[in-house]
Amino acid sequence: MSGEPLIEVAIETKDAGALAAVDAHGPMRRDAESGQWLLGGRDEAAIAQTLARLRAAGVEFRAGPPLVVYREVLAREETVRHTHKRALGGTGEFADVTLAFAPGAPGSGFVFVDATRGTLPPALAEGARAGIERQRQAGLLAGCAVTDFTATLIDARYHEIDSTARLFDTAAGAAFRELRRDAIALLEPAMRVTVTTPEDFLGGVIGDLNARRAMVLTSGAGTEAPAVLVAEGPLSGLLGYRAALAALTRETGACTMEFARFAPVPRAPGGEDPRFPGAAALRAISGSGNVIRFRR
């Protein structure tokens, strides 16, 4: 997990061959919904360095703003049964699955277990796995990929003629979508920031960190040395922090930033956070499908 991107920017280029050069300089993926190529990095500095190398290599492109990569995880265990059944003249469609979903350890990814003890043909079980894989990439809560969970196929029914791998794909994907919203948690990357600043600016620096949802963990000031403080806060609130710190301290402050952990996104009273109003809106700010439209 240490190498996974925490920030992505959308890349637009008219030269399809240039994508190979982009991929050689940083982790790339193509968003299934927008069709855009997304360049990943661990922080803003890493993204900036990659873009600079691309320009130096002669790649012509335009890039969107850095956007934070969120993720979804299961908050608890839940079992879902879904039956896909449809009559089509003399034939029909049939697939019945019972799936147990359980949270996994951080970094475990997606694990599928067929516990039907061989009573289900392997091709149909593989269809169920593929259906969950497809749906988890689309997300359930906010359009971000769901990760670190196990899906166990504990029971299944099929018909010799009316059941296919495609139908089990459909049934399992539908079962996954039926997980209740409160069974899913949204996580955001949290960063540990070490700030060095003249003591005269310490109060302003702490106030600015608090406004960015960062919590100061340690703070110390010396009589002859700059004050040093350590804080932890969400990456979404710390975008652009180095420039803000320079302005706050008249170019005398400095900071280092490193990934700390993925932490739950706090929910607003009533259970809905206005910053995350659903999949389409979140994709526009999270990097999970950040469609950008450049001015011609």
Side-chain angles (χ1 to χ4, degrees):
M1 185 173 65
S2 60
E4 292 183 9
L6 302 178
I7 294 177
E8 292 178 324
V9 296
I11 299 292
E12 181 187 76
T13 176
K14 295 181 179 180
D15 181 5
L19 294 176
V22 176
D23 193 43
H25 285 79
M28 288 284 296
R29 71 179 182 89
R30 191 165 191 174
D31 181 69
E33 182 170 337
S34 69
Q36 287 186 317
W37 287 95
L38 303 174
L39 170 67
R42 297 293 288 177
D43 54 31
E44 289 178 283
I47 291 287
Q49 291 171 3
T50 300
L51 296 180
R53 289 198 298 269
L54 291 173
R55 293 188 181 97
V59 178
E60 295 185 1
F61 66 92
R62 284 182 285 187
L67 302 174
V68 175
V69 176
Y70 293 81
R71 61 172 52 179
E72 298 178 27
V73 297
L74 269 65
R76 64 167 187 270
E77 297 183 5
E78 195 162 308
T79 299
V80 179
R81 179 181 180 183
H82 184 87
T83 302
H84 176 90
K85 189 175 183 180
R86 181 183 300 175
L88 300 172
T91 61
E93 296 182 348
F94 180 79
D96 179 274
V97 296
T98 301
L99 288 150
F101 300 98
S108 61
F110 164 50
V111 178
F112 178 79
V113 177
D114 178 9
T116 60
R117 297 183 176 87
T119 60
L120 184 69
L124 301 186
E126 171 58 24
R129 185 207 64 78
I132 299 171
E133 172 64 31
R134 173 177 49 80
Q135 185 57 50
R136 81 171 190 89
Q137 292 291 346
L140 293 173
L141 183 67
C144 307
V146 185
T147 189
D148 298 343
F149 72 97
T150 297
T152 302
L153 183 63
I154 58 178
D155 195 16
R157 294 187 301 148
Y158 72 100
H159 189 275
E160 291 287 352
I161 298 175
D162 295 342
S163 297
T164 65
R166 177 184 64 82
L167 297 177
F168 269 79
D169 178 311
T170 299
F176 190 68
R177 289 195 303 273
E178 288 176 14
L179 286 170
R180 286 173 287 186
R181 288 176 64 87
D182 59 3
I184 307 298
L186 185 65
L187 303 184
E188 61 183 343
M191 310 297 287
R192 179 163 293 226
V193 187
T194 302
V195 181
T196 302
T197 176
E199 191 171 355
D200 291 346
F201 301 108
L202 184 59
V205 169
I206 292 176
D208 180 66
L209 285 169
N210 290 336
R212 296 170 181 269
R213 288 198 293 132
M215 178 179 294
V216 176
L217 305 177
T218 63
S219 176
T223 56
E224 298 181 359
V228 178
L229 59 89
V230 178
E232 185 177 298
L235 179 55
S236 60
L238 293 168
L239 293 177
Y241 181 67
R242 288 181 173 85
L245 178 65
L248 275 171
T249 62
R250 300 177 186 174
E251 307 288 340
T252 59
C255 72
T256 60
M257 192 179 303
E258 62 181 2
F259 173 73
R261 59 195 175 94
F262 274 94
V265 173
R267 297 199 177 195
E272 292 295 336
D273 192 321
R275 292 169 303 152
F276 305 107
L282 182 60
R283 285 193 184 100
I285 61 173
S286 72
S288 295
N290 49 345
V291 180
I292 55 174
R293 290 175 173 82
F294 298 96
R295 295 182 178 178
R296 300 294 178 184

